[in-house]
Amino acid sequence: MFYESGTRTAAFSVTERRIEPENGRFGLALNLWHREDTHLDSLRYELRAPSNPNGPQVAVWLERPGASPWPEMTFGKGRDLHTTIIDVPEVGSVGVGSLGIELRLEATEMPDTLPARLDLSFDLSHEDRLFETYTAESSLEFDLHRNPNAQS
């Protein structure tokens, strides 16, 4: 959660969607909510899978976003083979209200626990206050579990 003067301004969440966890297939729903009187100007996610060279490799797919026509975005690999980047430098009209992105992950082999890390950065501006823009960053580490009854 992100606060300005004690008021919740934005909230970020990751929801796991189990597809076939026993086979290393997962879905992740990334959601960024922000206050009604703000506008999301830019957004960047960096998803880091385990960087163990002897561990499983993780392929990441981006689900096509729905709703309004989306601005141009970059979806690609980071500087290392374990990082996937989603970068939307100019969010435009999609930046009003909650913004959701869906990902699909597939590991070449599935250990009992697959650690991951998601870094988020975004720029947010107030609609009624000119030249007031905030940059926020956050990181979230979480585990994906092969056993559907295990907790993430």
Side-chain angles (χ1 to χ4, degrees):
M1 299 232 198
F2 301 89
Y3 292 88
E4 175 198 3
S5 302
T7 302
R8 186 171 72 152
T9 302
F12 169 62
S13 65
V14 176
T15 306
E16 182 180 334
R17 309 235 192 266
R18 297 184 178 279
I19 300 172
E20 292 179 28
E22 65 280 359
N23 294 326
R25 295 187 183 117
F26 297 89
L28 290 180
L30 314 178
N31 190 57
L32 181 59
W33 169 91
H34 55 95
R35 271 186 11 205
E36 211 172 278
D37 62 345
T38 60
H39 185 273
L40 187 63
D41 299 320
S42 68
L43 172 68
R44 181 179 176 96
Y45 291 110
E46 292 188 17
L47 177 66
R48 288 181 174 73
S51 57
N52 176 356
N54 300 321
Q57 299 301 306
V58 179
V60 180
W61 291 275
L62 174 67
E63 292 285 324
R64 188 178 85 185
S68 303
W70 269 67
E72 289 194 20
M73 63 191 318
T74 301
F75 178 72
K77 290 205 178 287
R79 293 179 190 202
D80 60 52
L81 297 175
H82 308 287
T83 302
T84 300
I85 296 174
I86 302 169
D87 189 20
V88 189
E90 294 182 27
V91 177
S93 63
V94 180
V96 177
S98 281
L99 183 65
I101 293 178
E102 297 267 342
L103 297 175
R104 297 283 178 255
L105 283 68
E106 185 169 343
T108 54
E109 58 187 74
M110 187 58 198
D112 288 337
T113 301
L114 182 66
R117 175 185 167 125
L118 188 66
D119 295 326
L120 160 71
S121 62
F122 62 90
D123 292 326
L124 193 68
S125 61
H126 278 276
E127 293 181 349
D128 57 349
R129 295 184 226 159
L130 289 176
F131 310 112
E132 224 177 278
T133 300
Y134 301 95
T135 298
E137 297 179 345
S138 184
S139 294
L140 176 66
E141 293 185 10
F142 55 96
D143 293 329
L144 299 170
H145 299 277
R146 177 177 19 175
N147 177 356
N149 297 320
Q151 297 294 314
S152 300

